[in-house]
């Protein structure tokens, strides 16, 4: 007798999701609690576990369909399967636009019964594979259960794997192809297009950012900070810190603790507007932007004001790992009173970040670079970083925004302040 697979409870106020990926095809052997599908909600991707061991039955919905909590999306049959996909899988998967690349060759192999574990691709990874024309079976996956991530594909392309795969697929690889000279004809003949449906996460991000622009009176103020003291402190204590706490001492710990001090001095930056009222928080829940395979997510460091440096660094490290593995939960990203976004890790020199409603402010960090500055009447070279604070001017005055950034600057340039609460 078949057992129904239903959409699980997704979290508070979340009633529907999008089927992002089938991890098991009809006919595949399935173990109890083994992930069989991936759902995309407004904030995270969630895996649907098999309710019992058996054989993957019929897919009731296709990739890209919207499903509600409690809806039946598949069945699990009793018995043991072949471990490979059957022709039923073709009936529900959306038709892809023609692309004569190694990626389509690999997917064709999947339909012919080759092991799916080496070529199961998330929508984001699949787009990269098709774009660069790489053979996913030749890439070592670093994700959960050996799955490919965007970083895996990008690294493979970076070291030249894409070129080799394309040439191998065409059967024209020669020594002269190592450094080909593009011609107008070759460039003009490769002008394909692909329409890809926005993920639910990307749709939500787009909608919320536009709402922030339409609702809040956004303004950004800037300052710069001399990172000399923090860099010297990290260099002096990083080995002892790692040995004692089992985690690296990063920059985010300093900025998180500096933000806690500044938010205490300027409470409006940690507040939010609710109708005709202002809600002030006596705690600091910092949302930190981290990269995930499907986009940027913002898990929350709760009660950061009561945390040690080690607690902050451990929490951020755990968020980064789980974001890459796709195991962050709705609870991880609920709430937040203030956001820190570090565009410097991608090389950004300066930006105007957008607030994350209903929060009223976001601190943007940027890359550190040596610049000539004047110190005590002399021109010296110092490692400098630009800071940006975007804020809702309906709630936060310019004086308060500038004061907040000055407090951050003072704490970073003199980390002793973080210890004695100045």
């Amino acid at each position: 007798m078949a057992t129904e697979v239903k959409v699980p409870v997704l979290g508070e106020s979340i009633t529907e999701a999008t089927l992002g990926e089938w991890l098991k095809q009809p006919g595949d052997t399935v173990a109890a609690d083994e992930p069989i599908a991936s759902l995309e909600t407004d904030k995270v991707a969630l895996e649907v576990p098999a309710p019992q061991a058996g054989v993957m039955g019929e897919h009731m919905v296709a990739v890209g369909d919207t499903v509600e909590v409690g809806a039946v999306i598949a069945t699990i049959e009793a018995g043991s399967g072949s471990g490979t996909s059957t022709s039923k899988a073709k009936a529900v998967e959306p038709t892809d636009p023609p692309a004569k690349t190694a990626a389509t060759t690999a997917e064709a192999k999947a339909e012919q019964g080759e092991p799916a574990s080496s070529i199961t691709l998330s929508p984001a990874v699949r787009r990269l594979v098709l774009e660069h024309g790489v053979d996913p079976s030749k890439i070592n996956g670093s994700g959960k259960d050996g799955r490919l991530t965007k970083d895996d594909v990008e690294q493979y392309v970076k070291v030249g794997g894409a070129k080799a795969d394309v040439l191998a697929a065409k059967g024209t690889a020669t020594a002269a192809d190592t450094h080909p000279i593009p011609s107008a004809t070759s460039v003009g003949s490769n002008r394909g297009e692909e329409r890809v449906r926005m993920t639910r996460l990307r749709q939500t991000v787009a909608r919320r950012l536009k709402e922030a622009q339409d609702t809040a009176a956004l303004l950004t103020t800037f300052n710069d900070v001399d990172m000399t003291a923090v860099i010297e402190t990290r260099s002096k204590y990083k080995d002892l810190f790692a040995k004692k706490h089992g985690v690296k001492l990063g920059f985010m710990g300093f900025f998180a603790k500096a933000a806690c001090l500044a938010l205490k001095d300027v409470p409006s930056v940690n507040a939010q507007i609710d109708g005709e009222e202002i809600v002030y928080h006596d705690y600091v829940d910092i949302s930190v932007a981290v990269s995930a395979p499907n986009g940027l997510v913002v898990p929350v460091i709760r009660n950061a004001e009561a945390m040690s440096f080690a607690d902050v660094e451990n929490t951020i490290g755990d968020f980064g790992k789980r974001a890459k593995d796709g195991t962050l939960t709705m609870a991880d990203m609920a709430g937040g009173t203030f956001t820190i976004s570090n565009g410097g890790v991608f090389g950004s020199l300066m930006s105007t970040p957008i607030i994350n409603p209903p929060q009223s402010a976001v601190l943007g960090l940027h890359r550190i670079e040596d610049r000539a500055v004047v110190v005590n009447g002399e021109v010296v070279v110092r490692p400098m970083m630009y800071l940006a604070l975007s804020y809702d001017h309906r709630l936060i005055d310019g004086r308060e925004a500038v004061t907040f950034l000055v407090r951050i600057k003072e704490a970073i340039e003199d980390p002793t302040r973080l210890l004695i609460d100045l």
Side-chain angles (χ1 to χ4, degrees), residues 10-27:
L10 302 172
E12 184 180 356
S13 76
I14 305 297
T15 61
E16 63 181 22
T18 299
L19 184 68
E21 179 183 4
W22 281 111
L23 306 178
K24 289 290 183 179
Q25 301 298 337

Side-chain angles (χ1 to χ4, degrees), residues 165-364:
D165 287 353
V166 171
L167 294 176
K170 294 180 179 180
T172 58
T174 67
D177 290 320
T178 306
H179 300 287
I181 301 175
S183 64
T185 303
S186 63
V187 172
S189 63
N190 185 22
R191 291 171 56 80
E193 294 182 354
E194 179 186 7
R195 288 182 179 268
V196 179
R197 182 176 179 176
M198 293 175 69
T199 64
R200 181 175 290 271
L201 174 61
R202 176 52 57 187
Q203 292 178 44
T204 301
V205 170
R207 184 181 69 252
R208 287 175 59 82
L209 292 180
K210 186 57 181 173
E211 287 174 355
Q213 288 183 319
D214 292 341
T215 303
L218 291 177
L219 188 63
T220 303
T221 186
F222 300 93
N223 210 321
D224 61 0
V225 59
D226 185 344
M227 296 293 292
T228 301
V230 166
I231 291 174
E232 290 177 348
T233 301
R234 287 183 70 228
S235 298
K236 184 177 181 179
Y237 296 110
K238 64 179 181 180
D239 292 336
L240 289 174
F241 188 88
K243 183 178 180 180
K244 180 176 181 179
H245 300 291
V247 65
K248 293 181 179 179
L249 178 60
F251 291 120
M252 188 59 79
F254 288 92
F255 280 101
K257 298 305 292 182
C260 290
L261 288 181
L263 292 170
K264 181 179 178 181
D265 288 348
V266 191
S268 61
V269 181
N270 197 43
Q272 65 186 56
I273 294 177
D274 184 10
E276 295 183 353
E277 298 178 329
I278 299 175
V279 180
Y280 291 95
H281 305 99
D282 60 3
Y283 55 87
V284 178
D285 286 353
I286 299 179
S287 301
V288 288
V290 297
S291 293
N294 291 330
L296 207 64
V297 293
V298 279
V300 180
I301 304 174
R302 305 191 188 282
N303 293 110
E305 79 285 355
M307 284 186 166
S308 66
F309 274 76
D311 291 335
V312 172
E313 294 295 352
N314 268 310
T315 301
I316 294 173
D318 178 61
F319 283 157
K321 181 179 183 300
R322 289 197 287 141
K324 185 176 181 180
D325 293 342
T327 58
L328 285 173
T329 66
M330 301 294 295
D332 291 325
M333 284 173 281
T337 62
F338 180 73
T339 294
I340 298 179
S341 179
N342 186 6
V345 297
F346 304 109
S348 173
L349 176 64
M350 188 178 292
S351 67
T352 56
I354 299 178
I355 64 173
N356 181 24
Q359 296 175 23
S360 299
V362 52
L363 175 66

Side-chain angles (χ1 to χ4, degrees), residues 219-226 255 258-259 261-263 265-266 268-269 338-340 350-351 353 361-366 385-391 396-413 417:
L219 188 63
T220 303
T221 186
F222 300 93
N223 210 321
D224 61 0
V225 59
D226 185 344
F255 280 101
L261 288 181
L263 292 170
D265 288 348
V266 191
S268 61
V269 181
F338 180 73
T339 294
I340 298 179
M350 188 178 292
S351 67
V362 52
L363 175 66
L365 310 182
H366 302 90
M385 175 195 288
Y386 286 117
L387 303 177
L389 181 75
S390 291
Y391 59 98
I396 303 168
D397 294 332
R399 174 184 60 83
E400 294 173 311
V402 172
T403 299
F404 176 87
L405 271 191
V406 170
R407 293 289 182 270
I408 295 287
K409 176 183 175 70
E410 290 172 344
I412 295 300
E413 293 186 342
R417 289 173 174 267

